[in-house]
Amino acid sequence: MATTTARAPGRRSAWAPLRRPVFRMLFAAQVVSNIGTWMQTVGAQWFLVETSGSPAFVAWIQTASQLPVLLLSLVAGVTADLVDRRRLLLVTSLASCVVAGALTAVTVAGALTPWGLLGLTFVLGCSAAMTGPAWQAVQPQLVPRDELPEASALGSIAVNAARAVGPAVAGVVVSAAGPAVVFALNTLSFLAVTVALLAWREEALPVRTVRERAWPGLLAGLRYVRSAPSVRRILARCALFALPGSALWALLPSAARDLMGADAAGYSLLLALLGAGAIAGAVAMPRLRARLSRSWLLAGGALLFAAGTAAAAWLPLAASAAAALVAGVGWLTCLTTLNATMQLALAGWVRARGLATYMLVFMGSQALGSFAWGAVADAVGVRTALTAAAAALVLVAASVPLLPLLAHSGTMDRSVVPLSSSMPTLELEAPPATPTAIVLTYRVRPQHVAAFLDAMHDVRLARERSGGTGWQLLRRAEDPEEMVEVFVAPSWEEHQLQHTVRWTGYDAQVLARAVALAEDEPTAAHYLVQGVR
């Protein structure tokens, strides 16, 4: 397990996290699994190209694999925050192995239909949806915080190295032996992940004195996202890119066959070059981050991906292959920038839930986009659909100055700082699920009132991020120097969590700025909601 000691500032190698044995082992397993997944994608898409002939059916493979994120991402996030993540990953890896094995058996028996393939792909997507937040959330346990951008880039390399290798292998295997062998190899790839997870001996994390429950924990995660402006902006940029960006992935098989006259090997070549371009982008990312802001990286990445999308619509195979390299760089640039910023913007207690929301937006946008672009291609043709998507990506790049990532995104102190040394002693028994109103009284001199009100705006967001609801700031009419802050914790348990594991260093700084404008520390009182008949 990696320690979290800070390293000396300076530009790090893109490969720095691979020096850490556990990260290296899990990274290798991820590469193997992703190769199997991309082989399966090529086999499934080409099976549908040959059996259905419909661009919509081919595009819906992307929808079937990504739609489960819309349904399960939030559940997966809260589960990954509340249970042992290693065990969760073991369960989902074994489940994926079983489903992939079933798909292989059905194909070998000659009973696979287009709708059956979509159904089993959907089930595999469900397992992947439960895996994603946990896999992302373990990264800070494997590398120091200052290596998270490199770890995120390596995660993208794992996906894109697989995209470079998997389709190339799959094209040969599908041509020589059919899709059943590809599906069997994917089954074996899930076994590789299971072996790696069994070999990982995770260090025990601190035991919480108060444990969260699933439904309140899910609601707390949603309140966190709603009250974190930097997170909301990341999600907005994510959706803006993924919706038009999904067109190339969804329609590339049809474009390769219908517009470029390519066979399965030609389609695999395009996917491989997209992956190779992404790897090149990942290697260049440390240098790019040193020269450009995150927002401008997003704009440049969108433009590069737009160029690749337009090339697939209008250029022959050789020229489209060259453009695919460029598009791969653009895809990786956007994904790594968004993912790493999201990782750094989230507090540890809600990391999996926040990343689940990110995946919900990104993968859900891809799923909905794939469905929509498939329908557009059926109606007006693949070339027109890809051209429209490329134009939309240009508009996405142009929107960056109007809707940039917030300047402090990913730079706030998200370490846990207990709100106080101990919980208050109550004379009245507080059942765990009882809503609790917290009332804090400040005294603020008239000359500081305007600044205090401004500071309390950030305090409100901090209270809401840690689980508070119904926040209000009151000023006493009989005594204008008295200010009263009121908010409600949904339960006494959640207020205990606010004190112990949900308050971060940044939240503490925000509150300290407000308290510095008051005459003294605020006095606190706690009121338990009483049922009145």
Side-chain angles (χ1 to χ4, degrees):
M1 184 76 63
T3 63
T4 56
T5 54
R7 298 182 57 200
R11 196 170 69 209
R12 290 174 296 278
S13 165
W15 314 102
L18 290 176
R19 297 176 305 181
R20 306 179 186 281
V22 175
F23 181 91
R24 186 168 61 244
M25 176 182 65
L26 294 178
F27 172 79
Q30 188 183 11
V31 170
V32 171
S33 178
N34 285 328
I35 288 174
T37 298
W38 274 104
M39 290 178 67
Q40 156 120 4
T41 298
V42 171
Q45 289 183 320
W46 210 255
F47 174 86
L48 290 174
V49 165
E50 294 184 334
T51 57
S52 74
S54 167
F57 248 119
V58 177
W60 291 345
I61 277 289
Q62 295 283 340
T63 300
S65 63
Q66 294 162 357
L67 185 60
V69 178
L70 285 172
L71 305 176
L72 297 176
S73 185
L74 295 178
V75 173
V78 71
T79 302
D81 271 332
L82 303 186
V83 305
D84 184 300
R85 290 169 183 160
R86 174 178 169 272
R87 292 182 182 178
L88 176 61
L89 291 171
L90 275 170
V91 169
T92 55
S93 294
L94 288 171
S96 297
C97 187
V98 170
V99 177
L103 175 59
T104 304
V106 171
T107 307
V108 169
L112 186 63
T113 65
W115 283 109
L117 177 56
L118 288 174
L120 287 170
T121 300
F122 177 82
V123 177
L124 276 173
C126 290
S127 180
M130 293 298 297
T131 300
W135 196 267
Q136 294 267 357
V138 299
Q139 299 300 314
Q141 296 173 234
L142 307 178
V143 300
R145 178 180 172 85
D146 63 349
E147 287 184 7
L148 277 176
E150 285 70 35
S152 177
L154 284 170
S156 295
I157 285 179
V159 173
N160 289 289
R163 184 181 287 127
V165 175
V169 175
V172 174
V173 173
V174 169
S175 298
V181 177
V182 170
F183 298 155
L185 292 173
N186 186 41
T187 304
L188 294 176
S189 75
F190 288 119
L191 286 178
V193 176
T194 302
V195 171
L197 290 169
L198 288 171
W200 174 26
R201 292 293 178 260
E202 183 182 13
E203 291 181 8
L205 296 175
V207 177
R208 294 182 179 183
T209 56
V210 180
R211 296 195 64 84
E212 291 188 74
R213 292 174 293 151
W215 180 247
L218 175 60
L219 295 178
L222 293 175
R223 285 195 294 270
Y224 184 96
V225 171
R226 184 188 64 193
S227 303
S230 61
V231 170
R232 295 201 310 271
R233 184 60 59 85
I234 293 168
L235 296 178
R237 296 284 355 155
C238 178
L240 284 171
F241 176 69
L243 281 167
S246 63
L248 182 61
W249 302 113
L251 299 177
L252 189 59
S254 300
R257 185 193 64 175
D258 300 338
L259 304 181
M260 305 174 204
D263 57 9
Y267 168 54
S268 297
L269 173 65
L270 292 171
L271 283 180
L273 289 172
L274 276 164
I279 293 171
V283 173
M285 277 303 292
R287 185 169 298 174
L288 292 174
R289 280 196 300 271
R291 288 171 166 77
L292 297 171
S293 71
R294 289 185 293 265
S295 292
W296 286 114
L297 285 173
L298 291 179
L303 287 175
L304 293 178
F305 203 70
T309 301
W314 293 98
L315 299 182
L317 180 61
S320 293
L325 279 169
V326 174
V329 174
W331 182 260
L332 186 282
T333 300
C334 289
L335 260 63
T336 298
T337 301
L338 290 166
N339 186 276
T341 307
M342 191 71 170
Q343 288 267 13
L344 294 170
L346 294 167
W349 69 270
V350 76
R351 180 170 288 117
R353 277 163 280 187
L355 289 167
T357 308
Y358 167 78
M359 294 179 68
L360 171 66
V361 172
F362 186 79
M363 301 293 284
S365 296
Q366 278 201 288
L368 294 174
S370 296
F371 183 87
W373 291 117
V376 170
D378 258 1
V380 300
V382 173
R383 173 168 287 141
T384 302
L386 286 171
T387 303
L393 284 164
V394 172
L395 293 177
V396 167
S399 72
V400 166
L402 300 175
L403 200 70
L405 294 178
L406 299 185
H408 60 276
S409 297
T411 62
M412 294 169 286
D413 180 3
R414 292 307 194 193
S415 59
V416 175
V417 177
L419 188 54
S420 61
S421 58
S422 62
M423 288 294 293
T425 301
L426 303 182
E427 297 294 333
L428 184 65
E429 181 182 357
T434 302
T436 305
I438 298 90
V439 179
L440 297 105
T441 303
Y442 305 78
R443 292 203 64 81
V444 183
R445 294 191 181 277
Q447 64 268 30
H448 295 148
V449 166
F452 180 79
L453 294 176
D454 186 61
M456 290 301 285
H457 169 78
D458 291 334
V459 172
R460 174 180 65 82
L461 294 176
R463 302 291 193 196
E464 291 174 349
R465 279 194 299 271
S466 63
T469 63
W471 187 93
Q472 289 183 304
L473 183 65
L474 310 176
R475 190 174 186 184
R476 186 174 176 182
E478 298 90 345
D479 183 0
E481 291 190 5
E482 183 176 307
M483 298 278 190
V484 178
E485 178 192 7
V486 182
F487 63 93
V488 177
S491 68
W492 181 249
E493 282 183 345
E494 291 222 34
H495 187 50
Q496 289 177 292
L497 291 167
Q498 287 178 311
H499 270 260
T500 54
V501 299
R502 291 184 178 176
W503 201 248
T504 68
Y506 177 75
D507 298 329
Q509 294 167 14
V510 163
L511 182 59
R513 284 198 297 271
V515 171
L517 296 165
E519 292 186 16
D520 205 346
E521 292 284 331
T523 59
H526 300 77
Y527 296 85
L528 305 179
V529 173
Q530 301 293 294
V532 178
R533 295 181 181 177

